[in-house]
Amino acid sequence: MATALPGLPSLPPQFKPIQHHLRTAQEHDKRDPVVAYYCRLYSIQTGMKIDSKSPECRKFLSKLMDQLETLKKQLAGNESVAQEVVGNAHVENYALKLFLYADSEDRSGRFHKNMIKSFYTSSLLLDVLSVFGELTEENLQHRKYARWKATYIHNCLKNGETPQAGPVGMEGEMYGDEDIEGTSAFQPPYPSSSLSDPSNMPTTNYSNIQIPPGAHAPANTPAEVPHNTGVTSHPTVPPAAQNIPSVDPSLFNEKPQGGIHLTPQNFATAQKYCKYAGSALQYEDVGTAVQNLQKALKLLTTGKE
């Protein structure tokens, strides 16, 4: 039986920008402890940058570190915690799974709080990926799009308007987290009189943002409607037929070229592609798995990406 995590004191006002990441950690303690672990790690790193000197912040960070250490012991032997490349793939694929579910609901014109929460949570988890290094341009776009979509759809529903489905250009004011938090699906884990606005998104035309491959509702999305919210859960949409990328036939007979010297970075990159492929298969995303396996094979046989 897992050891109960140490409790936390009240959230200092300075740490409101990480409030929602901590809430996401709390929600995933049982659902996906690896995601919960990295949400706390992100919160600690971000909290240290915000304020690591005032007594209340030091006390809060100390207790949060105790939680992280307890969780790390519980996950001893878990590859996703022991190896950063595996952890990166785990969190990224989980975030994109939420994104793809929400995007599928959006494109199908099914607007509800569960979908809004999936968009918003995916944006938070894309924040968390920064513990592994700088975000890719693709993930930066996914994060911006998911946060904007969550805000846009929430405010349309709140105002009795019908949102426009799918990627659209949006002009006008971008809202902060206060607006989203007004829904019952976004209850913060700590008492707070107001919520932070960590990032006001600029006005942007989102029509050209690329949606990742396999944009369909996964067979078993982790997004759930909280209990006693009065929100009706929508049945899971069966996975749509996937467009499998064509495989280069030459790769089947490819042999390492003479004189190719693979660097430790090459091996690490190839391992990353294989881990991404494995994680994609967990979510039944064959297209992404095939693409990553082809990248790994090409790198190992030519030394080039």
Side-chain angles (χ1 to χ4, degrees):
M1 183 176 177
T3 306
L5 297 178
L8 292 175
S10 297
L11 185 75
Q14 300 95 309
F15 287 166
K16 286 179 183 177
I18 60 173
Q19 180 170 1
H20 310 302
H21 302 86
L22 289 171
R23 177 212 60 211
T24 301
Q26 190 179 65
E27 291 177 346
H28 286 79
D29 281 333
K30 293 183 179 179
R31 185 185 305 170
D32 192 319
V34 171
V35 169
Y37 174 84
Y38 283 111
C39 284
R40 286 185 172 86
L41 179 59
Y42 169 85
S43 298
I44 289 173
Q45 292 181 355
T46 305
M48 292 285 287
K49 294 175 184 177
I50 295 173
D51 186 345
S52 61
K53 296 181 179 180
S54 67
E56 60 175 346
C57 289
R58 287 174 62 90
K59 179 182 178 181
F60 185 88
L61 288 172
S62 176
K63 294 295 184 181
L64 187 55
M65 289 177 186
D66 290 343
Q67 279 196 351
L68 189 69
E69 190 60 33
T70 299
L71 195 53
K72 188 174 184 178
K73 290 178 180 178
Q74 293 177 4
L75 296 171
N78 189 308
E79 237 187 350
S80 294
V81 173
Q83 298 186 40
E84 281 196 356
V85 66
V86 185
N88 190 346
H90 184 102
V91 177
E92 182 174 31
N93 277 282
Y94 192 98
L96 292 181
K97 180 181 179 182
L98 285 172
F99 183 96
L100 295 177
Y101 163 73
D103 181 63
S104 175
E105 293 292 276
D106 174 37
R107 289 167 182 257
S108 300
R110 292 186 289 269
F111 306 111
H112 49 90
K113 292 177 182 178
N114 192 26
M115 175 259 274
I116 296 172
K117 184 172 184 180
S118 295
F119 264 135
Y120 189 65
T121 302
S122 73
S123 77
L124 295 174
L125 294 181
L126 290 170
D127 285 340
V128 171
L129 287 179
S130 65
V131 303
F132 305 106
E134 291 187 12
L135 298 188
T136 64
E137 182 60 32
E138 184 180 38
N139 282 335
L140 286 171
Q141 290 193 45
H142 290 159
R143 181 178 66 178
K144 181 183 293 186
Y145 181 82
R147 194 161 290 166
W148 168 73
K149 264 292 183 179
T151 307
Y152 165 66
I153 296 172
H154 163 71
N155 282 288
C156 282
L157 297 182
K158 184 177 69 173
N159 297 326
E161 302 169 356
T162 301
Q164 185 172 343
V168 293
M170 182 69 176
E171 301 253 340
E173 180 183 1
M174 295 307 297
Y175 297 88
D177 290 339
E178 297 94 337
D179 298 272
I180 297 177
E181 291 293 335
T183 71
S184 57
F186 287 87
Q187 293 302 320
Y190 307 101
S192 175
S193 57
S194 61
L195 297 167
S196 63
D197 183 6
S199 58
N200 282 319
M201 305 309 301
T203 299
T204 309
N205 186 314
Y206 291 84
S207 302
N208 296 323
I209 290 181
Q210 294 184 348
I211 305 301
H216 61 274
N220 54 338
T221 174
E224 297 173 356
V225 178
H227 298 296
N228 301 322
T229 61
V231 180
T232 302
S233 178
H234 288 242
T236 302
V237 180
Q242 299 189 42
N243 293 320
I244 308 303
S246 59
V247 179
D248 183 355
S250 65
L251 291 176
F252 290 120
N253 300 316
E254 192 73 48
K255 294 182 180 180
Q257 299 177 6
I260 294 297
H261 176 68
L262 296 176
T263 66
Q265 181 60 40
N266 291 147
F267 285 112
T269 302
Q271 182 187 37
K272 177 185 71 174
Y273 287 140
C274 291
K275 294 297 183 183
Y276 283 175
S279 294
L281 289 176
Q282 291 180 2
Y283 304 133
E284 304 176 8
D285 188 350
V286 179
T288 299
V290 170
Q291 288 177 346
N292 280 288
L293 289 173
Q294 288 191 88
K295 289 179 181 178
L297 187 55
K298 180 180 178 182
L299 176 58
L300 292 174
T301 54
T302 67
K304 300 177 182 179
E305 293 191 57

